[in-house]
Amino acid sequence: MRMTLLLFVILIPSCISLDNGLALTPPMGWLTWTRFKCETDCVNHPTTCISENLIKTMADIMVSEGYLEAGYEYVMLDDCWPAPARDENGRLQADPQRFPSGIKALSAYVHSKGLKMGIYEDYGIKTCAGFPGSLFHLEIDAQTFAEWDVDFLKFDGCYSIPLTMDEGYPKMSHYLNATGRPILFSCEWPLYEKYFKTVNYTAVAAACNIWRNHGDIVDSWNSVKDIINWYGDHQDTLIPVAGPGHFNDPDMIVVGDFGLNEAQSRVQMALWSVLASPLIMSNDLRSMEPWQKALLLNKNVLTINQDKLGIQGRRTVNNATTSVWIKEMMTKRFAFAILNLAESPLAFSMTLNSMGLNNFTLYAVIEAFNGSSLGLYKSTDTFSCKVDPTGVSLFIAQAVASPKKDATETNFAHDASRDKVERTNQMNKKKTRLRSFPKEDSHQFINL
């Protein structure tokens, strides 16, 4: 059998940082993929095909129904927006039937609403759906996105060589920096590379604002549950690299689609918020139930997610189908979620100390979804609540007493975490540093 192996070498300096000042809290927005996939037939499916009309419609609703005001500021295309081939100058172009005005005009429309425009491309020779990829076109594609006034780039990894991603993704990061336009960089580098070698998350966090680690979410409870369990199992690797400007991304919010009931929808919003995850909806905002919209706009839940410390929450208790997750927040606050994966109700009871809330001696606790006060709890007190089947209870604890004198070791080191955030903020405020790269990817084809 004759095979053609594509090898290429990308030269990069030993140190590179995105330095774009973006994603100081987890980004929030809306994306086409999970709900609308790669529907390109606008004749038979005019209201659900991937088109400028779909983006404009969602942008209008995000403004008129309070999503933008709540913080959902990006409206984004996923795969299937390009024409089947590049133009005569080697540049990407949008499908002319579905995007007759072009992406630059669509960006202008999105910006006129006070929103930001996002787009999708792929590190490989083709996108996952088979449209033109960015390999060997990284620099010109970065320039094109900047010229189109794009604010967010989701960069996939289909049809590529994962062992080269630790060079290719930082190079794309450099080219985005070099445009002078702040473009949030969403990477899928660890998702592909982890099957071939150990991921260098320090390098990932230096090059990307957010990054995917695990498989695509689908519109089902099993998918949401699998992602939550994976993040708990790998938290010791993921938590240290998360913070302002660089966050782990468990994938899209599917609240408002078909696969989750109300309790399970609350699970996704609660856990994604405790994990300091991007909140990127993929749903049809035209057909939301009132409870779905209320959940997506819940102020306490979004406050947990958008806390400026940017600390990713930790699973502190994990017993069969019950787990506790705690996230440190600013001003001596802690969010904690009690998750019940069982198909039956849970009567939960445990001391705050045993849960991991052991930094302070006294806390004022509120229920996060409805904001009701539950009173004062000593760290030695037993906390009890009922949790729905495949559901979650979410709370915010405000410390109202001095730190424990004997708390030399806790689950959440306040001073260290704040020092980390301060260092990260200082890094993100630096001016973009432009570096020298070869003009084009050097590569060769080896016939085997």
Side-chain angles (χ1 to χ4, degrees):
M1 178 182 294
R2 184 176 178 83
M3 300 173 58
T4 300
L5 176 65
L6 172 62
L7 299 178
F8 58 95
V9 178
I10 304 175
L11 303 176
I12 20 182
S14 59
C15 180
I16 185 169
S17 179
L18 188 56
D19 287 350
N20 60 13
L22 300 175
L24 298 183
T25 59
M28 298 169 60
W30 182 92
L31 182 69
T32 56
W33 183 255
T34 299
R35 183 56 180 262
F36 297 101
K37 300 296 184 185
C38 191
E39 180 57 69
T40 58
D41 182 357
C42 290
V43 174
N44 294 306
H45 305 282
T47 63
T48 57
C49 66
I50 305 304
S51 65
E52 64 180 46
N53 289 335
L54 179 63
I55 294 297
K56 289 179 178 180
T57 299
M58 295 303 159
D60 291 345
I61 295 174
M62 289 175 71
V63 174
S64 65
E65 298 196 12
Y67 293 95
L68 173 59
E69 184 179 2
Y72 295 93
E73 62 178 342
Y74 292 95
V75 57
M76 295 174 282
L77 288 163
D78 205 283
D79 205 345
C80 307
W81 64 268
R86 291 173 177 268
D87 68 15
E88 63 275 10
N89 297 315
R91 287 181 174 263
L92 292 166
Q93 54 186 341
D95 183 276
Q97 280 72 47
R98 294 180 285 118
F99 296 89
S101 303
I103 301 299
K104 186 175 179 65
L106 183 57
S107 292
Y109 183 88
V110 167
H111 293 152
S112 74
K113 300 292 181 177
L115 293 158
K116 296 179 180 178
M117 179 70 192
I119 207 164
Y120 166 102
E121 246 304 328
D122 191 287
Y123 173 59
I125 57 173
K126 294 187 289 187
T127 71
C128 294
F131 292 88
S134 287
L135 190 59
F136 311 130
H137 301 275
L138 299 181
E139 183 174 17
I140 194 171
D141 286 356
Q143 292 169 353
T144 298
F145 298 142
E147 291 168 9
W148 287 347
D149 298 325
V150 165
D151 305 293
F152 186 117
L153 173 62
K154 176 181 175 180
F155 209 47
D156 213 332
C158 288
Y159 298 100
S160 67
I161 302 173
L163 288 173
T164 66
M165 287 180 173
D166 57 356
E167 297 180 336
Y169 272 87
K171 190 171 187 184
M172 188 60 170
S173 178
H174 160 78
Y175 286 137
L176 292 172
N177 265 350
T179 68
R181 180 174 183 80
I183 298 176
L184 194 154
F185 192 30
S186 171
C187 302
E188 307 222 349
W189 167 5
L191 171 61
Y192 291 86
E193 187 182 61
K194 69 179 182 179
Y195 297 106
F196 298 90
K197 66 179 183 179
T198 301
V199 176
N200 180 348
Y201 275 102
T202 301
V204 173
C208 307
N209 292 119
I210 62 175
W211 55 87
R212 290 275 311 285
N213 301 292
H214 197 46
D216 285 2
I217 196 168
V218 297
D219 183 19
S220 77
W221 168 238
N222 282 338
S223 177
V224 171
K225 184 171 59 175
D226 172 68
I227 291 170
I228 292 169
N229 287 335
W230 190 91
Y231 268 74
D233 293 343
H234 295 85
Q235 63 184 5
D236 290 339
T237 298
L238 302 176
I239 289 174
V241 293
H246 40 91
F247 294 98
N248 293 289
D249 180 8
D251 211 4
M252 289 161 275
I253 296 291
V254 294
V255 174
D257 292 324
F258 308 105
L260 304 183
N261 63 29
E262 185 169 358
Q264 295 160 355
S265 297
R266 286 157 66 105
V267 168
Q268 189 184 25
M269 285 299 292
L271 268 294
W272 263 237
S273 292
V274 168
L275 290 171
S277 305
L279 298 182
I280 307 297
M281 305 178 292
S282 187
N283 46 30
D284 192 337
L285 298 175
R286 297 167 292 195
S287 58
M288 305 293 288
E289 296 290 338
W291 67 263
Q292 295 168 332
K293 178 181 175 182
L295 177 58
L296 290 164
L297 299 179
N298 186 286
K299 290 184 178 180
N300 285 332
V301 175
L302 298 184
T303 294
I304 294 169
N305 177 262
Q306 292 293 295
D307 183 77
K308 292 183 179 179
L309 283 184
I311 295 174
Q312 180 172 319
R314 176 176 291 275
R315 187 176 64 188
T316 58
V317 176
N318 186 33
N319 297 325
T321 57
T322 304
S323 57
V324 178
W325 303 70
I326 300 180
K327 170 185 170 70
E328 183 184 2
M329 301 168 64
M330 294 183 68
T331 63
K332 301 177 183 179
R333 291 181 299 168
F334 299 84
F336 64 100
I338 299 165
L339 176 62
N340 176 23
L341 297 180
E343 305 266 335
S344 55
L346 168 69
F348 178 86
S349 187
M350 185 176 289
T351 66
L352 296 185
N353 269 338
S354 298
M355 291 164 54
L357 282 171
N358 53 12
N359 301 69
F360 295 87
T361 57
L362 189 66
Y363 299 89
V365 180
I366 68 167
E367 202 280 342
F369 288 116
N370 62 33
S372 61
S373 174
L374 303 182
L376 296 176
Y377 285 80
K378 295 178 182 178
S379 60
T380 53
D381 286 343
T382 296
F383 184 86
S384 300
C385 67
K386 295 188 182 299
V387 188
D388 289 338
T390 61
V392 70
S393 291
L394 181 65
F395 308 92
I396 299 174
Q398 172 70 63
V400 293
S402 301
K404 286 185 176 181
K405 293 181 180 179
D406 60 346
T408 55
E409 290 187 8
T410 66
N411 288 316
F412 305 96
H414 292 270
D415 293 338
S417 62
R418 283 164 174 76
D419 288 346
K420 175 185 174 184
V421 171
E422 180 60 27
R423 288 194 300 272
T424 304
N425 286 337
Q426 290 174 357
M427 183 188 74
N428 285 328
K429 289 177 182 177
K430 292 178 183 178
K431 292 182 179 179
T432 300
R433 296 190 294 269
L434 303 184
R435 296 169 176 82
S436 175
F437 283 93
K439 184 65 178 177
E440 193 51 71
D441 306 313
S442 58
H443 58 279
Q444 56 182 327
F445 292 89
I446 299 177
N447 294 324
L448 300 179

